[in-house]
Amino acid sequence: MNFSLFGYPKTGKTTLFNLLTGARIQVQAYETGKKEPNLRTCQVPDPRLDKIWSLYSERHKKAATIDYIDLAGISYGEVKNASYLNYLRKADGLAHVVRGFKDEKIPHPKGRISVTEDIRAMEEELLLADLMTVESRLEKLEKEVKSTKNREDEKEYELLKILKSKLEEGQAIRELGLSAAEEKLIRNYAFLSQKPIFHMINVDENDIPQIESPEKICDFSGTSVVVLAFCGKIEMEILELDEKEKEIFLQEYGLKELSASKFLKASYDLLNVITFFTIGKEEIKAWTIPKDTPALAAAGVIHSDIEKGFIRAEVIPWNELMEHGSFQSAKEGAAIRLEGKDYSVQDGDVIYFRFAK
């Protein structure tokens, strides 16, 4: 999985990046001429993986990972021209960092703080970027459809005309309920308003009581849209403390958890993904796949040869594996299920793939 953190200037993007990754990037770096985005690959903590590994501690443990990219702030109205537009298009999910804090030393570009207004402005910019892409492609497709009479081109042309109309009406593509076939038809465009998105509100210390109820801070909602809140200033202070002090300060401020764990949990729901596990000769590994992935496709995530030679999947939920103490003991206890290529992999499954070499 990968997330691009983006937004207008002075919102706390790099602060959130540091909170999520444990990095210590200078928050003023982009102001001093830095152009390259900040990038970190982080392991996804998973107690289930730890417990499975405890049965095979002589082997390596390999967690699932998530990539975070922190992009420079962009001026209002300039998203469509952003040099980093490709970073947004390549992302599995977007994290739009929104300013909800007041600071006289850091003036807001518009002169006032309005979380809802900034969220709507960014959503409109994503729509506009998509609309420009659609219009450009329609011009070329119209000529191709007339000359070649290609059925697939005709389908794409008709769908893009619908998207153009909806985008002009202010509807994000993610809101349209496209069919699987329609989504496949436009997959290569990587439309921005189609991507799952977090709107991450960076609030004042005084607004910490509202962090668990971000709907009180703004009234924006939609399909594949999640609004979360955090207080970057306080969280950065808490991260400097030892574990015991952290717990005390979290309780003192009424924070249930820090942004990193909250973001990770929400990201799995937002992207509609799950985790399954494999026990190899050398490593115990966690894998991230979309929900409802069939066993055949899950095998392909590990290696294309396993997918090609797929025979069956030997499956057991991780908690049942723990009860038996090992995969072999679970087999002897007839606890392992044999599943075919169409089996829908479930969150927490431990799977051994049989395949013809």
Side-chain angles (χ1 to χ4, degrees):
M1 294 193 299
N2 64 80
F3 273 87
S4 286
L5 279 59
F6 75 112
Y8 300 121
K10 312 290 187 183
T11 59
K13 296 177 295 302
T14 301
T15 295
L16 179 61
F17 178 80
N18 288 337
L19 293 174
L20 296 177
T21 66
R24 292 178 178 272
I25 305 295
Q26 290 295 320
V27 295
Q28 298 89 1
Y30 286 121
E31 297 174 30
T32 57
K34 175 180 167 63
K35 293 182 180 178
E36 290 301 310
N38 299 311
L39 171 64
R40 287 289 188 284
T41 298
C42 300
Q43 292 189 347
V44 177
D46 194 324
R48 299 172 300 178
L49 176 64
D50 296 335
K51 290 178 180 178
I52 296 169
W53 176 74
S54 71
L55 304 177
Y56 303 88
S57 55
E58 74 283 358
R59 304 179 194 182
H60 296 294
K61 177 175 62 175
K62 197 163 184 181
T65 60
I66 182 168
D67 291 337
Y68 295 106
I69 301 173
D70 168 38
L71 303 169
I74 186 139
S75 302
Y76 286 83
E78 291 299 315
V79 169
K80 63 183 182 299
N81 300 322
S83 59
Y84 60 62
L85 212 53
N86 281 338
Y87 286 107
L88 298 181
R89 292 206 166 107
K90 290 176 183 176
D92 296 318
L94 304 179
H96 171 219
V97 185
V98 190
R99 180 167 171 178
F101 64 88
K102 298 174 183 177
D103 189 333
E104 293 180 0
K105 297 178 182 177
I106 309 174
H108 189 285
K110 287 192 173 181
R112 70 182 190 283
I113 306 297
S114 177
V115 170
T116 301
E117 186 178 315
D118 282 354
I119 290 177
R120 293 193 187 284
M122 184 57 76
E123 285 281 348
E124 288 171 5
E125 294 210 46
L126 299 181
L127 291 175
L128 181 57
D130 287 348
L131 181 58
M132 291 174 65
T133 300
V134 168
E135 289 176 337
S136 175
R137 180 57 178 155
L138 278 174
E139 281 184 28
K140 296 176 182 177
L141 261 183
E142 188 172 12
K143 297 174 184 176
E144 292 174 13
V145 167
K146 288 179 180 178
S147 61
T148 65
K149 304 294 183 181
N150 181 287
R151 181 59 186 148
E152 288 303 306
D153 284 347
E154 290 176 358
K155 287 181 182 178
E156 184 182 342
Y157 180 71
E158 291 304 318
L159 178 55
L160 288 179
K161 283 203 301 183
I162 293 172
L163 296 188
K164 179 177 182 291
S165 173
K166 296 298 183 181
L167 288 167
E168 287 174 336
E169 292 172 4
Q171 279 191 272
I173 295 174
R174 75 177 84 88
E175 306 283 343
L176 302 182
L178 299 180
S179 67
E182 289 172 328
E183 289 191 350
K184 184 177 180 181
L185 204 57
I186 61 171
R187 185 175 298 157
N188 289 338
Y189 293 107
F191 288 122
L192 301 183
S193 71
Q194 188 180 15
K195 290 186 177 296
I197 187 170
F198 283 118
H199 292 292
M200 302 288 298
I201 308 169
N202 189 4
V203 302
D204 271 330
E205 182 178 339
N206 294 334
D207 292 324
I208 286 179
Q210 295 183 318
I211 280 180
E212 299 302 327
S213 306
E215 69 278 1
K216 294 179 180 178
I217 306 171
C218 82
D219 59 1
F220 189 90
S221 63
T223 307
S224 296
V225 170
V226 172
V227 178
L228 297 177
F230 70 106
C231 182
K233 180 176 180 292
I234 295 301
E235 279 205 43
M236 287 303 295
E237 292 177 7
I238 291 175
L239 285 181
E240 297 297 324
L241 306 174
D242 60 38
E243 291 304 315
K244 190 174 289 186
E245 288 180 312
K246 281 181 185 177
E247 289 300 321
I248 294 172
F249 271 76
L250 284 172
Q251 291 177 14
E252 189 174 308
Y253 282 107
L255 292 170
K256 293 183 179 179
E257 58 186 336
L258 295 173
S259 294
S261 57
K262 183 190 294 186
F263 189 98
L264 270 176
K265 292 172 189 173
S267 66
Y268 271 68
D269 290 336
L270 183 71
L271 297 185
N272 205 28
V273 295
I274 61 170
T275 303
F276 76 93
F277 307 95
T278 55
I279 301 172
K281 292 181 180 179
E282 297 182 358
E283 65 181 17
I284 312 302
K285 187 167 182 178
W287 304 83
T288 303
I289 56 172
K291 280 183 182 177
D292 302 320
T293 295
L296 183 64
V301 171
I302 299 173
H303 200 287
S304 58
D305 288 347
I306 301 178
E307 184 176 17
K308 289 175 184 175
F310 182 94
I311 297 173
R312 65 176 180 268
E314 299 180 358
V315 184
I316 184 171
W318 77 273
N319 54 331
E320 291 184 24
L321 173 68
M322 296 306 299
E323 292 172 6
H324 288 274
S326 72
F327 204 85
Q328 184 58 39
S329 295
K331 269 188 174 182
E332 294 168 0
I336 303 293
R337 303 193 317 270
L338 300 182
E339 301 287 358
K341 63 182 181 180
D342 294 327
Y343 167 70
S344 182
V345 176
Q346 300 299 301
D347 186 45
D349 277 349
V350 181
I351 307 179
Y352 180 76
F353 292 99
R354 294 279 181 185
F355 66 103
K357 297 179 181 179

